[in-house]
PDB file of all heavy atoms in Angstrom:
ATOM      1  N   GLY A 531       2.356  -1.795  11.995  1.00 93.00           N
ATOM      2  CA  GLY A 531       2.318  -0.735  12.990  1.00 93.00           C
ATOM      3  C   GLY A 531       0.906  -0.388  13.377  1.00 93.00           C
ATOM      4  O   GLY A 531      -0.056  -1.057  12.990  1.00 93.00           O
ATOM      5  N   GLY A 532       0.783   0.683  14.134  1.00 92.00           N
ATOM      6  CA  GLY A 532      -0.534   1.127  14.576  1.00 92.00           C
ATOM      7  C   GLY A 532      -0.476   2.532  15.126  1.00 92.00           C
ATOM      8  O   GLY A 532       0.603   3.075  15.405  1.00 92.00           O
ATOM      9  N   ALA A 533      -1.646   3.108  15.301  1.00 92.00           N
ATOM     10  CA  ALA A 533      -1.753   4.473  15.808  1.00 92.00           C
ATOM     11  C   ALA A 533      -1.644   4.471  17.324  1.00 92.00           C
ATOM     12  O   ALA A 533      -2.285   3.672  18.010  1.00 92.00           O
ATOM     13  CB  ALA A 533      -3.073   5.091  15.379  1.00 92.00           C
ATOM     14  N   ILE A 534      -0.828   5.378  17.838  1.00 95.00           N
ATOM     15  CA  ILE A 534      -0.610   5.495  19.273  1.00 95.00           C
ATOM     16  C   ILE A 534      -1.222   6.813  19.765  1.00 95.00           C
ATOM     17  O   ILE A 534      -0.918   7.886  19.240  1.00 95.00           O
ATOM     18  CB  ILE A 534       0.889   5.456  19.612  1.00 95.00           C
ATOM     19  CG1 ILE A 534       1.565   4.242  18.958  1.00 95.00           C
ATOM     20  CG2 ILE A 534       1.078   5.460  21.124  1.00 95.00           C
ATOM     21  CD1 ILE A 534       0.951   2.905  19.288  1.00 95.00           C
ATOM     22  N   THR A 535      -2.089   6.695  20.761  1.00 93.00           N
ATOM     23  CA  THR A 535      -2.679   7.856  21.410  1.00 93.00           C
ATOM     24  C   THR A 535      -2.464   7.731  22.918  1.00 93.00           C
ATOM     25  O   THR A 535      -1.890   6.756  23.406  1.00 93.00           O
ATOM     26  CB  THR A 535      -4.194   7.967  21.118  1.00 93.00           C
ATOM     27  OG1 THR A 535      -4.865   6.874  21.759  1.00 93.00           O
ATOM     28  CG2 THR A 535      -4.466   7.934  19.612  1.00 93.00           C
ATOM     29  N   MET A 536      -2.962   8.699  23.641  1.00 93.00           N
ATOM     30  CA  MET A 536      -2.810   8.669  25.096  1.00 93.00           C
ATOM     31  C   MET A 536      -3.502   7.453  25.699  1.00 93.00           C
ATOM     32  O   MET A 536      -3.122   6.970  26.769  1.00 93.00           O
ATOM     33  CB  MET A 536      -3.390   9.963  25.664  1.00 93.00           C
ATOM     34  CG  MET A 536      -2.755  10.497  26.926  1.00 93.00           C
ATOM     35  SD  MET A 536      -0.968  10.475  26.998  1.00 93.00           S
ATOM     36  CE  MET A 536      -0.765   9.906  28.678  1.00 93.00           C
ATOM     37  N   LYS A 537      -4.516   6.935  25.013  1.00 91.00           N
ATOM     38  CA  LYS A 537      -5.278   5.803  25.537  1.00 91.00           C
ATOM     39  C   LYS A 537      -4.671   4.452  25.143  1.00 91.00           C
ATOM     40  O   LYS A 537      -5.216   3.399  25.501  1.00 91.00           O
ATOM     41  CB  LYS A 537      -6.725   5.869  25.052  1.00 91.00           C
ATOM     42  CG  LYS A 537      -7.488   7.069  25.589  1.00 91.00           C
ATOM     43  CD  LYS A 537      -8.937   7.052  25.130  1.00 91.00           C
ATOM     44  CE  LYS A 537      -9.714   8.234  25.712  1.00 91.00           C
ATOM     45  NZ  LYS A 537     -11.142   8.222  25.280  1.00 91.00           N
ATOM     46  N   SER A 538      -3.575   4.461  24.418  1.00 93.00           N
ATOM     47  CA  SER A 538      -2.980   3.213  23.940  1.00 93.00           C
ATOM     48  C   SER A 538      -2.371   2.421  25.092  1.00 93.00           C
ATOM     49  O   SER A 538      -1.662   2.966  25.936  1.00 93.00           O
ATOM     50  CB  SER A 538      -1.895   3.496  22.898  1.00 93.00           C
ATOM     51  OG  SER A 538      -2.444   4.061  21.736  1.00 93.00           O
ATOM     52  N   ASP A 539      -2.635   1.122  25.076  1.00 95.00           N
ATOM     53  CA  ASP A 539      -1.988   0.193  25.993  1.00 95.00           C
ATOM     54  C   ASP A 539      -0.828  -0.460  25.248  1.00 95.00           C
ATOM     55  O   ASP A 539      -1.046  -1.124  24.232  1.00 95.00           O
ATOM     56  CB  ASP A 539      -2.968  -0.876  26.470  1.00 95.00           C
ATOM     57  CG  ASP A 539      -2.294  -1.908  27.361  1.00 95.00           C
ATOM     58  OD1 ASP A 539      -2.230  -1.690  28.576  1.00 95.00           O
ATOM     59  OD2 ASP A 539      -1.820  -2.937  26.811  1.00 95.00           O
ATOM     60  N   PRO A 540       0.424  -0.276  25.691  1.00 96.00           N
ATOM     61  CA  PRO A 540       1.581  -0.762  24.925  1.00 96.00           C
ATOM     62  C   PRO A 540       1.523  -2.243  24.582  1.00 96.00           C
ATOM     63  O   PRO A 540       1.842  -2.631  23.455  1.00 96.00           O
ATOM     64  CB  PRO A 540       2.761  -0.440  25.849  1.00 96.00           C
ATOM     65  CG  PRO A 540       2.310   0.739  26.633  1.00 96.00           C
ATOM     66  CD  PRO A 540       0.852   0.509  26.877  1.00 96.00           C
ATOM     67  N   GLN A 541       1.119  -3.086  25.529  1.00 95.00           N
ATOM     68  CA  GLN A 541       1.053  -4.518  25.248  1.00 95.00           C
ATOM     69  C   GLN A 541      -0.014  -4.815  24.203  1.00 95.00           C
ATOM     70  O   GLN A 541       0.201  -5.620  23.288  1.00 95.00           O
ATOM     71  CB  GLN A 541       0.764  -5.301  26.528  1.00 95.00           C
ATOM     72  CG  GLN A 541       0.666  -6.814  26.326  1.00 95.00           C
ATOM     73  CD  GLN A 541       1.951  -7.432  25.785  1.00 95.00           C
ATOM     74  OE1 GLN A 541       3.050  -7.026  26.158  1.00 95.00           O
ATOM     75  NE2 GLN A 541       1.819  -8.397  24.883  1.00 95.00           N
ATOM     76  N   ASN A 542      -1.167  -4.167  24.299  1.00 93.00           N
ATOM     77  CA  ASN A 542      -2.225  -4.370  23.311  1.00 93.00           C
ATOM     78  C   ASN A 542      -1.780  -3.895  21.928  1.00 93.00           C
ATOM     79  O   ASN A 542      -2.125  -4.517  20.916  1.00 93.00           O
ATOM     80  CB  ASN A 542      -3.495  -3.633  23.731  1.00 93.00           C
ATOM     81  CG  ASN A 542      -4.162  -4.267  24.933  1.00 93.00           C
ATOM     82  OD1 ASN A 542      -3.876  -5.422  25.285  1.00 93.00           O
ATOM     83  ND2 ASN A 542      -5.057  -3.536  25.582  1.00 93.00           N
ATOM     84  N   GLU A 543      -1.039  -2.797  21.886  1.00 94.00           N
ATOM     85  CA  GLU A 543      -0.548  -2.303  20.595  1.00 94.00           C
ATOM     86  C   GLU A 543       0.403  -3.317  19.969  1.00 94.00           C
ATOM     87  O   GLU A 543       0.371  -3.541  18.754  1.00 94.00           O
ATOM     88  CB  GLU A 543       0.158  -0.957  20.774  1.00 94.00           C
ATOM     89  CG  GLU A 543      -0.753   0.187  21.192  1.00 94.00           C
ATOM     90  CD  GLU A 543      -1.782   0.545  20.140  1.00 94.00           C
ATOM     91  OE1 GLU A 543      -1.575   0.212  18.947  1.00 94.00           O
ATOM     92  OE2 GLU A 543      -2.798   1.166  20.501  1.00 94.00           O
ATOM     93  N   TYR A 544       1.258  -3.923  20.791  1.00 94.00           N
ATOM     94  CA  TYR A 544       2.174  -4.936  20.273  1.00 94.00           C
ATOM     95  C   TYR A 544       1.403  -6.127  19.717  1.00 94.00           C
ATOM     96  O   TYR A 544       1.698  -6.624  18.628  1.00 94.00           O
ATOM     97  CB  TYR A 544       3.132  -5.391  21.376  1.00 94.00           C
ATOM     98  CG  TYR A 544       4.138  -6.417  20.898  1.00 94.00           C
ATOM     99  CD1 TYR A 544       5.268  -6.020  20.200  1.00 94.00           C
ATOM    100  CD2 TYR A 544       3.948  -7.774  21.140  1.00 94.00           C
ATOM    101  CE1 TYR A 544       6.196  -6.953  19.743  1.00 94.00           C
ATOM    102  CE2 TYR A 544       4.865  -8.713  20.691  1.00 94.00           C
ATOM    103  CZ  TYR A 544       5.986  -8.296  19.999  1.00 94.00           C
ATOM    104  OH  TYR A 544       6.891  -9.230  19.544  1.00 94.00           O
ATOM    105  N   GLU A 545       0.384  -6.570  20.449  1.00 92.00           N
ATOM    106  CA  GLU A 545      -0.420  -7.708  19.994  1.00 92.00           C
ATOM    107  C   GLU A 545      -1.142  -7.364  18.686  1.00 92.00           C
ATOM    108  O   GLU A 545      -1.305  -8.222  17.815  1.00 92.00           O
ATOM    109  CB  GLU A 545      -1.441  -8.094  21.067  1.00 92.00           C
ATOM    110  CG  GLU A 545      -0.828  -8.585  22.369  1.00 92.00           C
ATOM    111  CD  GLU A 545      -0.056  -9.884  22.208  1.00 92.00           C
ATOM    112  OE1 GLU A 545      -0.370 -10.643  21.276  1.00 92.00           O
ATOM    113  OE2 GLU A 545       0.862 -10.130  23.020  1.00 92.00           O
ATOM    114  N   GLU A 546      -1.565  -6.113  18.534  1.00 89.00           N
ATOM    115  CA  GLU A 546      -2.256  -5.707  17.304  1.00 89.00           C
ATOM    116  C   GLU A 546      -1.334  -5.790  16.096  1.00 89.00           C
ATOM    117  O   GLU A 546      -1.756  -6.155  14.996  1.00 89.00           O
ATOM    118  CB  GLU A 546      -2.814  -4.288  17.444  1.00 89.00           C
ATOM    119  CG  GLU A 546      -3.631  -3.837  16.221  1.00 89.00           C
ATOM    120  CD  GLU A 546      -4.215  -2.457  16.391  1.00 89.00           C
ATOM    121  OE1 GLU A 546      -4.915  -2.236  17.401  1.00 89.00           O
ATOM    122  OE2 GLU A 546      -3.966  -1.600  15.508  1.00 89.00           O
ATOM    123  N   THR A 547      -0.052  -5.476  16.280  1.00 91.00           N
ATOM    124  CA  THR A 547       0.875  -5.584  15.149  1.00 91.00           C
ATOM    125  C   THR A 547       1.010  -7.034  14.699  1.00 91.00           C
ATOM    126  O   THR A 547       1.084  -7.316  13.498  1.00 91.00           O
ATOM    127  CB  THR A 547       2.271  -5.018  15.496  1.00 91.00           C
ATOM    128  OG1 THR A 547       2.872  -5.810  16.520  1.00 91.00           O
ATOM    129  CG2 THR A 547       2.190  -3.574  15.921  1.00 91.00           C
ATOM    130  N   LEU A 548       1.019  -7.963  15.640  1.00 89.00           N
ATOM    131  CA  LEU A 548       1.105  -9.385  15.273  1.00 89.00           C
ATOM    132  C   LEU A 548      -0.171  -9.837  14.575  1.00 89.00           C
ATOM    133  O   LEU A 548      -0.122 -10.662  13.654  1.00 89.00           O
ATOM    134  CB  LEU A 548       1.367 -10.238  16.517  1.00 89.00           C
ATOM    135  CG  LEU A 548       2.665  -9.962  17.282  1.00 89.00           C
ATOM    136  CD1 LEU A 548       2.844 -10.978  18.399  1.00 89.00           C
ATOM    137  CD2 LEU A 548       3.868  -9.979  16.350  1.00 89.00           C
ATOM    138  N   LEU A 549      -1.311  -9.295  14.993  1.00 86.00           N
ATOM    139  CA  LEU A 549      -2.570  -9.623  14.326  1.00 86.00           C
ATOM    140  C   LEU A 549      -2.552  -9.160  12.874  1.00 86.00           C
ATOM    141  O   LEU A 549      -2.976  -9.899  11.968  1.00 86.00           O
ATOM    142  CB  LEU A 549      -3.733  -8.961  15.082  1.00 86.00           C
ATOM    143  CG  LEU A 549      -5.124  -9.070  14.444  1.00 86.00           C
ATOM    144  CD1 LEU A 549      -5.577 -10.523  14.386  1.00 86.00           C
ATOM    145  CD2 LEU A 549      -6.133  -8.220  15.221  1.00 86.00           C
ATOM    146  N   LYS A 550      -2.051  -7.958  12.641  1.00 86.00           N
ATOM    147  CA  LYS A 550      -2.001  -7.438  11.276  1.00 86.00           C
ATOM    148  C   LYS A 550      -1.039  -8.242  10.401  1.00 86.00           C
ATOM    149  O   LYS A 550      -1.181  -8.257   9.179  1.00 86.00           O
ATOM    150  CB  LYS A 550      -1.583  -5.963  11.296  1.00 86.00           C
ATOM    151  CG  LYS A 550      -2.653  -5.050  11.886  1.00 86.00           C
ATOM    152  CD  LYS A 550      -2.153  -3.622  12.010  1.00 86.00           C
ATOM    153  CE  LYS A 550      -3.238  -2.696  12.541  1.00 86.00           C
ATOM    154  NZ  LYS A 550      -2.751  -1.312  12.757  1.00 86.00           N
ATOM    155  N   ALA A 551      -0.058  -8.886  11.020  1.00 85.00           N
ATOM    156  CA  ALA A 551       0.917  -9.689  10.268  1.00 85.00           C
ATOM    157  C   ALA A 551       0.484 -11.147  10.141  1.00 85.00           C
ATOM    158  O   ALA A 551       1.232 -11.955   9.588  1.00 85.00           O
ATOM    159  CB  ALA A 551       2.274  -9.612  10.955  1.00 85.00           C
ATOM    160  N   LYS A 552      -0.701 -11.478  10.628  1.00 84.00           N
ATOM    161  CA  LYS A 552      -1.128 -12.875  10.715  1.00 84.00           C
ATOM    162  C   LYS A 552      -1.062 -13.593   9.377  1.00 84.00           C
ATOM    163  O   LYS A 552      -0.561 -14.723   9.284  1.00 84.00           O
ATOM    164  CB  LYS A 552      -2.544 -12.950  11.276  1.00 84.00           C
ATOM    165  CG  LYS A 552      -3.079 -14.371  11.440  1.00 84.00           C
ATOM    166  CD  LYS A 552      -4.493 -14.364  12.000  1.00 84.00           C
ATOM    167  CE  LYS A 552      -5.030 -15.783  12.119  1.00 84.00           C
ATOM    168  NZ  LYS A 552      -6.434 -15.785  12.629  1.00 84.00           N
ATOM    169  N   ALA A 553      -1.554 -12.966   8.317  1.00 82.00           N
ATOM    170  CA  ALA A 553      -1.581 -13.629   7.007  1.00 82.00           C
ATOM    171  C   ALA A 553      -0.171 -13.950   6.526  1.00 82.00           C
ATOM    172  O   ALA A 553       0.079 -15.027   5.961  1.00 82.00           O
ATOM    173  CB  ALA A 553      -2.309 -12.751   5.987  1.00 82.00           C
ATOM    174  N   ILE A 554       0.776 -13.044   6.752  1.00 88.00           N
ATOM    175  CA  ILE A 554       2.159 -13.273   6.319  1.00 88.00           C
ATOM    176  C   ILE A 554       2.811 -14.363   7.166  1.00 88.00           C
ATOM    177  O   ILE A 554       3.495 -15.246   6.644  1.00 88.00           O
ATOM    178  CB  ILE A 554       2.954 -11.960   6.373  1.00 88.00           C
ATOM    179  CG1 ILE A 554       2.418 -10.984   5.312  1.00 88.00           C
ATOM    180  CG2 ILE A 554       4.449 -12.214   6.145  1.00 88.00           C
ATOM    181  CD1 ILE A 554       3.042  -9.606   5.354  1.00 88.00           C
ATOM    182  N   PHE A 555       2.596 -14.317   8.469  1.00 88.00           N
ATOM    183  CA  PHE A 555       3.151 -15.367   9.329  1.00 88.00           C
ATOM    184  C   PHE A 555       2.625 -16.741   8.925  1.00 88.00           C
ATOM    185  O   PHE A 555       3.363 -17.731   8.920  1.00 88.00           O
ATOM    186  CB  PHE A 555       2.804 -15.087  10.790  1.00 88.00           C
ATOM    187  CG  PHE A 555       3.599 -13.974  11.413  1.00 88.00           C
ATOM    188  CD1 PHE A 555       3.013 -13.100  12.314  1.00 88.00           C
ATOM    189  CD2 PHE A 555       4.942 -13.791  11.108  1.00 88.00           C
ATOM    190  CE1 PHE A 555       3.739 -12.077  12.903  1.00 88.00           C
ATOM    191  CE2 PHE A 555       5.683 -12.766  11.685  1.00 88.00           C
ATOM    192  CZ  PHE A 555       5.073 -11.910  12.582  1.00 88.00           C
ATOM    193  N   GLU A 556       1.344 -16.826   8.585  1.00 85.00           N
ATOM    194  CA  GLU A 556       0.757 -18.107   8.188  1.00 85.00           C
ATOM    195  C   GLU A 556       1.384 -18.630   6.908  1.00 85.00           C
ATOM    196  O   GLU A 556       1.612 -19.839   6.767  1.00 85.00           O
ATOM    197  CB  GLU A 556      -0.752 -17.963   8.014  1.00 85.00           C
ATOM    198  CG  GLU A 556      -1.514 -17.815   9.325  1.00 85.00           C
ATOM    199  CD  GLU A 556      -3.002 -17.641   9.103  1.00 85.00           C
ATOM    200  OE1 GLU A 556      -3.428 -17.462   7.932  1.00 85.00           O
ATOM    201  OE2 GLU A 556      -3.754 -17.663  10.098  1.00 85.00           O
ATOM    202  N   LEU A 557       1.660 -17.748   5.971  1.00 86.00           N
ATOM    203  CA  LEU A 557       2.266 -18.168   4.713  1.00 86.00           C
ATOM    204  C   LEU A 557       3.597 -18.869   4.941  1.00 86.00           C
ATOM    205  O   LEU A 557       3.904 -19.874   4.291  1.00 86.00           O
ATOM    206  CB  LEU A 557       2.494 -16.955   3.805  1.00 86.00           C
ATOM    207  CG  LEU A 557       1.334 -16.477   2.940  1.00 86.00           C
ATOM    208  CD1 LEU A 557       1.721 -15.190   2.235  1.00 86.00           C
ATOM    209  CD2 LEU A 557       0.936 -17.529   1.919  1.00 86.00           C
ATOM    210  N   PHE A 558       4.382 -18.348   5.860  1.00 89.00           N
ATOM    211  CA  PHE A 558       5.739 -18.854   6.074  1.00 89.00           C
ATOM    212  C   PHE A 558       5.859 -19.729   7.326  1.00 89.00           C
ATOM    213  O   PHE A 558       6.960 -20.050   7.747  1.00 89.00           O
ATOM    214  CB  PHE A 558       6.723 -17.688   6.167  1.00 89.00           C
ATOM    215  CG  PHE A 558       6.956 -16.993   4.863  1.00 89.00           C
ATOM    216  CD1 PHE A 558       6.257 -15.844   4.553  1.00 89.00           C
ATOM    217  CD2 PHE A 558       7.849 -17.493   3.926  1.00 89.00           C
ATOM    218  CE1 PHE A 558       6.457 -15.184   3.347  1.00 89.00           C
ATOM    219  CE2 PHE A 558       8.057 -16.846   2.717  1.00 89.00           C
ATOM    220  CZ  PHE A 558       7.362 -15.689   2.426  1.00 89.00           C
ATOM    221  N   GLN A 559       4.716 -20.096   7.894  1.00 85.00           N
ATOM    222  CA  GLN A 559       4.714 -20.972   9.062  1.00 85.00           C
ATOM    223  C   GLN A 559       5.583 -20.413  10.190  1.00 85.00           C
ATOM    224  O   GLN A 559       6.267 -21.141  10.911  1.00 85.00           O
ATOM    225  CB  GLN A 559       5.186 -22.381   8.696  1.00 85.00           C
ATOM    226  CG  GLN A 559       4.470 -22.987   7.493  1.00 85.00           C
ATOM    227  CD  GLN A 559       5.203 -24.239   6.999  1.00 85.00           C
ATOM    228  OE1 GLN A 559       5.215 -25.253   7.677  1.00 85.00           O
ATOM    229  NE2 GLN A 559       5.804 -24.133   5.826  1.00 85.00           N
ATOM    230  N   THR A 560       5.610 -19.108  10.315  1.00 83.00           N
ATOM    231  CA  THR A 560       6.411 -18.462  11.349  1.00 83.00           C
ATOM    232  C   THR A 560       5.804 -18.721  12.729  1.00 83.00           C
ATOM    233  O   THR A 560       4.588 -18.604  12.913  1.00 83.00           O
ATOM    234  CB  THR A 560       6.480 -16.937  11.098  1.00 83.00           C
ATOM    235  OG1 THR A 560       7.124 -16.713   9.849  1.00 83.00           O
ATOM    236  CG2 THR A 560       7.273 -16.238  12.195  1.00 83.00           C
ATOM    237  N   ASP A 561       6.632 -19.069  13.681  1.00 77.00           N
ATOM    238  CA  ASP A 561       6.192 -19.312  15.041  1.00 77.00           C
ATOM    239  C   ASP A 561       6.062 -17.984  15.776  1.00 77.00           C
ATOM    240  O   ASP A 561       7.061 -17.382  16.176  1.00 77.00           O
ATOM    241  CB  ASP A 561       7.190 -20.234  15.762  1.00 77.00           C
ATOM    242  CG  ASP A 561       6.663 -20.715  17.110  1.00 77.00           C
ATOM    243  OD1 ASP A 561       5.690 -20.116  17.604  1.00 77.00           O
ATOM    244  OD2 ASP A 561       7.220 -21.692  17.642  1.00 77.00           O
ATOM    245  N   ILE A 562       4.823 -17.510  15.931  1.00 66.00           N
ATOM    246  CA  ILE A 562       4.600 -16.219  16.557  1.00 66.00           C
ATOM    247  C   ILE A 562       5.023 -16.242  18.021  1.00 66.00           C
ATOM    248  O   ILE A 562       5.471 -15.235  18.569  1.00 66.00           O
ATOM    249  CB  ILE A 562       3.116 -15.800  16.433  1.00 66.00           C
ATOM    250  CG1 ILE A 562       2.729 -15.692  14.946  1.00 66.00           C
ATOM    251  CG2 ILE A 562       2.854 -14.469  17.134  1.00 66.00           C
ATOM    252  CD1 ILE A 562       1.287 -15.321  14.723  1.00 66.00           C
ATOM    253  N   LEU A 563       4.897 -17.385  18.672  1.00 54.00           N
ATOM    254  CA  LEU A 563       5.296 -17.473  20.085  1.00 54.00           C
ATOM    255  C   LEU A 563       6.751 -17.115  20.267  1.00 54.00           C
ATOM    256  O   LEU A 563       7.141 -16.501  21.260  1.00 54.00           O
ATOM    257  CB  LEU A 563       5.017 -18.883  20.629  1.00 54.00           C
ATOM    258  CG  LEU A 563       3.530 -19.258  20.761  1.00 54.00           C
ATOM    259  CD1 LEU A 563       3.411 -20.686  21.261  1.00 54.00           C
ATOM    260  CD2 LEU A 563       2.794 -18.306  21.694  1.00 54.00           C
ATOM    261  N   ASP A 564       7.599 -17.495  19.297  1.00 58.00           N
ATOM    262  CA  ASP A 564       9.020 -17.153  19.388  1.00 58.00           C
ATOM    263  C   ASP A 564       9.219 -15.632  19.392  1.00 58.00           C
ATOM    264  O   ASP A 564      10.140 -15.109  20.010  1.00 58.00           O
ATOM    265  CB  ASP A 564       9.794 -17.753  18.211  1.00 58.00           C
ATOM    266  CG  ASP A 564       9.948 -19.263  18.349  1.00 58.00           C
ATOM    267  OD1 ASP A 564       9.646 -19.795  19.430  1.00 58.00           O
ATOM    268  OD2 ASP A 564      10.375 -19.912  17.378  1.00 58.00           O
TER     269      ASP A 564
END
Side-chain angles (χ1 to χ4, degrees):
I534 309 305
T535 67
M536 211 44 222
K537 295 183 178 181
S538 294
D539 177 88
Q541 180 61 38
N542 290 343
E543 293 295 339
Y544 182 80
E545 296 295 334
E546 184 178 306
T547 65
L548 299 186
L549 174 64
K550 291 175 177 176
K552 181 180 178 182
I554 293 175
F555 286 143
E556 287 179 351
L557 275 174
F558 289 97
Q559 309 167 69
T560 298
D561 190 344
I562 300 179
L563 292 178
D564 287 349

